[in-house]
Amino acid sequence: MRVALIGTRGAPARYGGFETAVEEIGAGLSDHGHDVTVYCRTEPDAGSHYRGMRRVVLPALRRKALETLSHSGLSTLHAIWQRADVAIVFNAANAPYLLLLRLFGVRTLLHIDGHDSRRQKWRGLGERYYSFATRVGLRLADVVVVDSMAMKDELQKMYGVDSSYIAYGASTSVRSSAEVKQGLKTLGLTVNGYHLVVAR
C-alpha cells in the first residue's frame, strides 16, 4: 500500500512530537512492507530515503500562519499525483485538504493533537480557522486519531465523533543497577549527587 505522511516538518525527527510520531509510524509501516512517502520542509541533504521511507522535500511559505498550510497543500497535490492509497494527515489545520484527497480516492486518517484553537499564538483569526478546520476534518476523515483520552472524550461530547486513541510510545532499554552506576561514574557523577533536567 502507498502511504503518504503529510502535515509536519518530516523526517528525521528534529523538532517535536509530531515529527517523532511521523518517523516512528513511517518506519513501522515501511518495516511491514508498505511504500511510505514522508513530506519534508527542510534538510534536503538528509537524503532521499530515511528508515525505509522516501523523503520528498517541498517548499513552504515562511510565515507563521502559512508555513504548514502551504507545505501541506503542495504535499497533498504530490500525494495525489503519486497515487497514494492512504494519507495520514497531521494537524487539524490541514483538514480542508482531506476533501481534495478524498475526491481522488485517497483514504484519509486525520491525527488531531490537542486544542490548537486554544493556544495563545493562534488567538483571533487563527483560533477561528482552527475551530473551522477541526469541524471539517471530523466530517471528512475516514479515521480520526488522538493521542489523549481527554481529547477523545471531548470530541465525543462536543461533536459526537468516536475517534481512535493511540498512545505515543517510546523506545526503551533495560540497564542493570551496575550498568547505571558505571555510566554515572563515567560521567563523573554519583548516585543522588546530581540533578537531571530534560527540556525543549
Side-chain angles (χ1 to χ4, degrees), residues 72-94:
S72 296
L74 290 175
S75 301
T76 296
L77 294 174
H78 191 276
I80 291 167
W81 178 62
Q82 292 289 298
R83 299 183 183 274
D85 298 306
V86 174
I88 302 175
V89 178
F90 295 81
N91 191 337
N94 296 312

Side-chain angles (χ1 to χ4, degrees), residues 85-106:
D85 298 306
V86 174
I88 302 175
V89 178
F90 295 81
N91 191 337
N94 296 312
Y97 294 122
L98 298 176
L99 178 59
L100 190 57
L101 289 161
R102 291 192 59 153
L103 284 173
F104 283 88
V106 180

Side-chain angles (χ1 to χ4, degrees), residues 39 46 75 87 146-147 151 166 178 185 198:
Y39 290 95
S75 301
V146 295
D147 54 28
M151 194 69 198
I166 302 175
K185 185 177 177 182
V198 180

Side-chain angles (χ1 to χ4, degrees), residues 115-131:
H115 295 288
D116 286 301
S117 65
R118 297 181 191 169
R119 294 181 181 169
Q120 186 63 38
K121 68 178 180 178
W122 297 122
R123 291 291 174 225
L125 182 60
E127 178 182 4
R128 291 192 293 278
Y129 174 77
Y130 257 112
S131 294

